[in-house]
Structures are given as structure tokens and as C-alpha cells.
Amino acid sequence: MSKHDSIAAAGAVYYLFGATGDLARRKLFPALFSLYKEGKLAEDFAVIGLARRPRTNEQFREDLYESIVEFSRNKADDKQLWDKFAEHFEYMSLDINNVDGFRELNNLTEKLDAKFNIPGNRLFYLALAPDLFGPVSFNLRDGGLLGSKGWHRLVIEKPFGYDLQSAQKLNEQLSQVFKEEEIFRIDHYLGKEMVQNIEVIRFANAFFEPLWNNKHIANVQITLSETVGVEERGGYYDKSGALRDMVQNHMLQMLAMIAMEPPSRLHPEDIRDEKVKALRSLRPYTTSEEINRNVIRGQYTEGALKSKSLTGYRQEESVNSESSTETYFAARVFVDNFRWAGVPFYIRTGKRLPVKTTEVVIEFKNVPDNVLFARRHDLSPNLLVIRVNPMEGIYIKINAKKPGENNVVQPVSMEFCQSCMIGLNTPEAYERLIYDAARGESTYFTRWDEVAQAWSFVDRIAETWREGSESLQFYPAGSWGPEKTDELLASDGFHWWPVNGQDEDNVIWISGSPK
Ligand SMILES: NC(=O)C1=CN([C@@H]2O[C@H](COP(=O)(O)OP(=O)(O)OC[C@H]3O[C@@H](n4cnc5c(N)ncnc54)[C@H](OP(=O)(O)O)[C@@H]3O)[C@@H](O)[C@H]2O)C=CC1
Ligand SMILES: O=C1O[C@H](COP(=O)(O)O)[C@@H](O)[C@H](O)[C@H]1O
């Protein structure tokens, strides 16, 4: 058996709806190319790009090439390989609302099945606005595209609805055509290497597994910070805001992976069962008083980052000049179950913050204070930091004796910097997720009950905001968000740990520092 035979996904036709869009260009084309170059797509596949605007196959392949030159981690420097790859791509102009176009698409499919010896499998990737998900599904069915002898799967992008009600409606539409196990809801954070690593760090280490509870963990901090503003996405973002754009999906998914119970088997359904149980245990905030005490919403005003001046959110193009949409969200949330009772999870996300980073900090409780060292020294708590993005790795802070001094304790740290490893060109999230969908591996896709549970948590907050009893806090672009966010932790005796190892000056490194 060749290397290709052992790792390649089953042959299929990939229908890329939204093929002229931003996501296809920046993420999906490069992902398909890397999968091909690394042998994860064999020769029995075809990609049909679909959108309304006219394109010839040649123009489409040029777009493909440009996208790979600009965005791919793998270079298209082997002409022979490139030509072979590009040959699998065809373009068809199609309006989603026109069912006749889908019949024509069926004819093209049959032609490609025969050309590339494809066994009838179909993967429909909807890189489209969510209001088109229902119409596409119905027209796929009515146009005869689901009657083939192989499997068919639907991959859909976020946002999955605007609130629980719209998500339910969307789900009802999809489920008239596809079974739940055929629907792959993308949350691209679940495709990130270090998010997938959370399970391994938790369940494969005798160091951590016994300590992973309220007896030993003081608090958990999750930061998803971005330096970018809303850019040209104002039309979408101004209706969505940070709560719907980042918290309902990425943030709560990461929280669920940190908080969930160990699954009995490493089977997708068992893992997703545990995640949904964790989401169900989130303490619902039901009164505006609870929300105001535990939740902060902010919006950036003009400011500066690295000496570059930045406009405020309300001055961004395609944003309402009186918008009260939040570009920042922070909260103290509780997972009300036996494992986590009393442990605050502090979560924050925002645009126009000082650094781009995704990090999870687990702060452990100190040793009992009747122990000699805890009494005599101001001990720094032990930390486990899972660095997701852009640095990938694990950082651990512990206490040790200061060399040459008696009874003096010094924090020391150990770092595993995965992204510093030379030659390690790890797959991007979209590569993993497309590959998984093509193999029918659904662990890192969100199941309907998880999505619904996350919406019901988020909806309560959004409803209170709508009633207007909260105050929107403003923060200058380039700062760490509204000042009140620090008070959230200070009132519990904690503080945010600096991200990206920025507090490391007072720490002795046991192994290589990232600096
Ligand atoms: N861009 C990103 O980084 C991310 C995007 N997403 C999600 O992915 C989806 C796509 O986003 P993005 O690529 O940015 O959006 P774009 O607006 O860039 O692209 C939309 C695509 O849909 C096509 N389209 C629109 N209407 C129709 C129609 N009636 N019939 C056929 N095709 C149509 C457009 O082509 P044409 O005009 O030629 O018809 C275009 O190819 C959205 O749900 C978004 O929220 C999620 C995460 C990140
Ligand atoms: O889904 C989204 O994610 C991006 C951030 O993704 P990352 O992989 O770069 O961390 C965010 O900018 C965007 O607003 C949101 O829709």
C-alpha cells in the first residue's frame, strides 16, 4: 500500500458554494492544496466552484493559483504537481435560488465522476451567508444531487443563526434534507492544533488529571484577543457583535473542552455528549443585575497601536455611526457541577486589543497556608498556560528554591513551544476540518444540541442588553478593553495573567524562553 492509499480521504466531489468569496480565497483553496500536496486527497476527487458571477475554468484556476501563492503554507513550486491538482477544479455559475442550475450541476457531477473515477460521494461546503443554507439544501435535494450511491455530507460555516430561535428554524430546514450525522458545522477553533491538544493535555497526563477540579484550580482565564478592527466586515459584524461572533461559538467551545468530564470512549458522540453536558451546566444569568455584575461589554473608540493611530468603531465604514454593538466582551461564568462549583471562568475577547492571541490559563490554588513556604513567602500560584495562537505551546509556572539562597522561593517556568520548532509546518484548522469531514470524522464539529445550548446561554445576555439596562463601556483602540474588566477579577482577589509570557521577566527559565 502506498503512503497515499493509507492516508487519503475517500474520493468525492467537493461542491464549493461561495467559490468567489473571501473564505474560499483565504482559507479553503489553500487547505485543499495542502491536503493534495500531502497525499490526503488522492486522484479520485473533483472540486466544483459555485457562485453567481461568470468565470471560465481557466479564470477559476488562476484565482486558485493566486490564492495559494498568497495564503498557502505550502508552495505551488512544482509545475507538474500544480497542473495535476488544478485539473480537478471546475467552475459553474449558479444562483442558489434557481433549481434548474442544480439539475445542470448534476450533469456536470456525472461527467466528473466518470473522469476521475469518483465513487459517488458528495461533500457540499457552504461558504455562504447563512440565509442561503436552507435554499441550497432544498435545491440540492430537488435538483437530484442527493440520490447517489455514496455518502453525502453538508459542511456549513458559522454563524449558525442569530439566536436560538433562528438557529432552530435553520436546523429544521437542514434536517428536512440531511440527517444530523451528515451535517458538519464548522467552528474553526476546533480545528486548531492546540485546541485539539486540550484533551490530550488533560487526559494523558498524571500531572494534571487528578488536579482538574475545584479543590485545586483557583480560576480559569480564556483570552481571545485580536488587533484587527472590524475592517470591511462591518455589514455583518455590526449586527452580530463579539457575543455572537466569538463567544457563542469559539469561546464556549473552548470552555466546554476545558470543563467537560472525561468521555468514556474517544468516540465523537461521547466527546460531544460531555461537551454539551458542560454547556448545560453553565450558570444561566437570568436577571439584569446578575448580568451587569458578571458581564462587560465594550466598544473601541479611537486610539493607537504601535504608534499607528486607529479610528474608533463608529467611524469604521459600513458601521452605524451610533452603533452600540460590542467589539469587546468579558465575563465571569460558572460551571455549576460537582467538579467546578465555585471556580470562576473568566473569559474575554475583543477587537483592537494590543496583541493577537488565544490563550487558556489554569491558575492553581496555593498549597495550604499552614505549610512553611506558603506562610513565609508570597508564593506565585502555579500556572498551566495553553497557548493556542499565534504561538502554539504549553507553559508551566512552578516554584523552586532560589539557587544559593536559603528559604527563598523563586517562580520558574518551563515552556514547550511547538510553533518554534524549525521545519514544523503544521496543518491549518481548515485543512484538518475538511479532511475530517471527508473522512466522516465529526469530533471537531459542533452538534446541534451544543449549538442550541450555547445560544440559550448567549440569548439571555443579549436580551438583557436589548432591554438597555446595561451600560456600554468604551475603550481606546490598542488598550486591553474597559477598565471594569480588571475589577471583575480583582473583586475575587485575582488578576488577568499577562498574555504571551509578558510577565516572564521575574521568572527563571528551566528550558528555552520564547524571547
Ligand atoms: N471570510 C472569513 O474569514 C470567514 C467567513 N465565515 C463565514 O463564511 C461564509 C462566507 O463568508 P465570505 O467568504 O467571507 O463571504 P463573501 O461575501 O466574501 O462571499 C460570499 C460568496 O457567496 C456567493 N453568493 C452570494 N449570493 C449567492 C447566490 N444567490 N447564489 C450563489 N452564490 C452566491 C458570492 O458569490 P457571487 O457574488 O459571485 O454570487 C461569494 O462567492 C459566511 O457565512 C461567513 O460568516 C466564517 C469564518 C471566517
Ligand atoms: O470566526 C471568527 O474568527 C476570527 C478570528 O479567528 P482566528 O483564527 O484568526 O483567531 C475573527 O476575526 C472573526 O471576527 C470571527 O468571525
Side-chain angles (χ1 to χ4, degrees):
M1 195 190 286
S2 75
K3 181 178 158 227
H4 276 212
D5 294 333
S6 61
I7 61 169
V13 177
Y14 295 75
Y15 301 81
L16 187 44
F17 290 91
T20 54
D22 177 72
L23 185 68
R25 193 172 65 88
R26 287 193 307 110
K27 299 289 182 189
L28 307 181
F29 295 151
L32 287 165
F33 179 61
S34 289
L35 290 174
Y36 183 73
K37 195 163 178 181
E38 296 180 2
K40 292 178 180 163
L41 287 178
E43 297 301 330
D44 52 353
F45 80 99
V47 178
I48 308 179
L50 298 148
R52 286 167 304 184
R53 72 197 76 168
R55 281 270 190 289
T56 62
N57 284 337
E58 287 64 38
Q59 284 169 329
F60 182 51
R61 289 172 192 159
E62 276 166 32
D63 295 344
L64 180 69
Y65 183 74
E66 279 165 21
S67 129
I68 278 136
V69 169
E70 194 172 352
F71 297 108
S72 175
R73 67 183 179 87
N74 276 308
K75 291 199 173 10
D77 46 7
D78 176 340
K79 168 99 175 63
Q80 213 182 349
L81 182 119
W82 173 260
D83 288 343
K84 263 179 82 186
F85 172 69
E87 197 187 300
H88 293 262
F89 283 71
E90 300 232 348
Y91 182 83
M92 187 182 140
S93 170
L94 168 131
D95 188 328
I96 268 98
N97 301 304
N98 172 16
V99 68
D100 292 336
F102 286 76
R103 296 199 182 99
E104 216 181 294
L105 181 59
N106 212 358
N107 297 336
L108 175 59
T109 303
E110 281 170 19
K111 192 188 94 187
L112 293 171
D113 272 351
K115 181 172 173 188
F116 294 109
N117 203 16
I118 298 169
N121 301 325
R122 278 66 181 113
L123 189 144
F124 305 104
Y125 196 117
L126 310 191
L128 295 168
D131 54 352
L132 295 173
F133 296 170
V136 178
S137 304
F138 295 136
N139 282 341
L140 286 171
R141 180 194 59 197
D142 299 344
L145 279 131
L146 304 181
S148 77
K149 46 193 183 306
W151 48 254
H152 46 257
R153 296 183 187 135
L154 181 74
V155 181
I156 44 181
E157 270 298 334
K158 63 164 272 251
F160 196 84
Y162 175 79
D163 53 15
L164 181 57
Q165 201 186 12
S166 57
Q168 273 166 336
K169 191 170 160 221
L170 175 55
N171 205 51
E172 274 158 26
Q173 290 180 336
L174 299 185
S175 55
Q176 287 178 43
V177 181
F178 293 94
K179 298 192 201 90
E180 173 63 28
E181 59 271 26
E182 292 169 337
I183 303 174
F184 290 71
R185 297 180 193 80
I186 292 244
D187 181 317
H188 78 276
Y189 267 61
L190 294 182
K192 289 184 190 272
E193 184 68 39
M194 289 306 295
V195 174
Q196 298 192 352
N197 210 342
I198 291 173
E199 279 175 80
V200 183
I201 294 167
R202 283 191 57 187
F203 303 131
N205 287 299
F207 273 163
F208 299 126
E209 201 284 325
L211 305 184
W212 211 263
N213 56 54
N214 56 2
K215 290 188 188 61
H216 302 283
I217 291 179
N219 70 77
V220 177
Q221 303 180 11
I222 307 179
T223 300
L224 271 67
S225 66
E226 297 189 89
T227 50
V228 290
V230 70
E231 329 257 279
E232 68 286 350
R233 293 175 71 217
Y236 151 75
Y237 192 88
D238 205 32
K239 292 193 205 84
S240 159
L243 178 63
R244 293 186 175 86
D245 186 49
M246 297 293 276
V247 178
Q248 188 274 341
N249 35 73
H250 311 321
M251 188 71 107
L252 291 184
Q253 281 294 323
M254 286 178 65
L255 190 154
M257 291 189 75
I258 298 288
M260 73 183 195
E261 293 299 312
S264 52
R265 295 173 305 166
L266 279 182
H267 184 276
E269 296 316 323
D270 295 283
I271 294 172
R272 300 195 296 180
D273 285 348
E274 295 306 336
K275 273 166 51 198
V276 83
K277 273 158 62 185
L279 292 169
R280 227 179 269 143
S281 307
L282 287 177
R283 183 181 301 175
Y285 290 136
T286 47
T287 64
S288 53
E289 189 277 328
E290 280 174 330
I291 288 175
N292 291 336
R293 190 156 34 87
N294 292 295
V295 177
I296 290 161
R297 67 194 290 238
Q299 187 188 80
Y300 63 83
T301 54
E302 60 184 61
L305 188 58
K306 293 186 181 154
S307 319
K308 191 176 159 228
S309 55
L310 300 166
T311 57
Y313 179 71
R314 290 178 179 178
Q315 287 76 51
E316 301 267 15
E317 270 178 44
S318 67
V319 165
N320 180 335
S321 59
E322 291 174 9
S323 171
S324 57
T325 298
E326 76 290 352
T327 58
Y328 180 92
F329 176 95
R332 169 178 39 213
V333 299
F334 291 94
V335 180
D336 280 339
N337 60 20
F338 257 56
R339 182 182 288 271
W340 294 111
V343 179
F345 283 66
Y346 303 107
I347 60 178
R348 61 176 169 173
T349 182
K351 294 205 185 282
R352 287 282 189 238
L353 301 185
V355 286
K356 164 78 181 163
T357 197
T358 303
E359 262 189 21
V360 180
V361 179
I362 311 291
E363 179 176 332
F364 290 89
K365 290 185 174 168
N366 269 340
V367 290
D369 65 7
N370 61 352
V371 170
L372 183 67
F373 287 113
R375 245 187 305 136
R376 292 188 45 189
H377 303 275
D378 188 14
L379 287 189
S380 186
N382 291 163
L383 301 182
L384 163 67
V385 181
I386 301 171
R387 292 186 169 144
V388 174
N389 185 28
M391 209 194 280
E392 288 179 355
I394 302 165
Y395 166 97
I396 296 169
K397 192 155 97 173
I398 56 175
N399 292 305
K401 177 180 172 294
K402 190 166 187 183
E405 308 229 11
N406 283 341
N407 286 342
V408 178
V409 179
Q410 163 116 38
V412 297
S413 59
M414 290 182 271
E415 172 103 6
F416 163 58
C417 177
Q418 183 161 280
S419 47
C420 304
M421 287 160 77
I422 295 165
L424 190 75
N425 187 7
T426 54
E428 292 207 355
Y430 277 96
E431 284 171 49
R432 286 200 197 87
L433 294 174
I434 293 174
Y435 183 52
D436 281 356
R439 293 183 305 145
E441 163 55 76
S442 54
T443 305
Y444 295 111
F445 295 84
T446 51
R447 205 171 57 188
W448 164 241
D449 50 356
E450 297 177 70
V451 175
Q453 203 58 51
W455 273 125
S456 64
F457 178 76
V458 155
D459 275 1
R460 285 197 179 89
I461 299 174
E463 273 159 30
T464 309
W465 285 353
R466 236 190 338 266
E467 285 158 16
S469 53
E470 86 312 329
S471 58
L472 181 68
Q473 317 265 314
F474 294 96
Y475 63 98
S479 73
W480 269 111
E483 281 168 16
K484 232 183 127 192
T485 313
D486 291 339
E487 291 164 25
L488 202 60
L489 282 76
S491 59
D492 298 334
F494 301 123
H495 61 82
W496 291 104
W497 289 97
V499 298
N500 288 348
Q502 284 167 2
D503 79 320
E504 285 153 3
D505 291 345
N506 67 344
V507 172
I508 301 286
W509 286 89
I510 295 178
S511 60
S513 145
K515 287 176 187 166

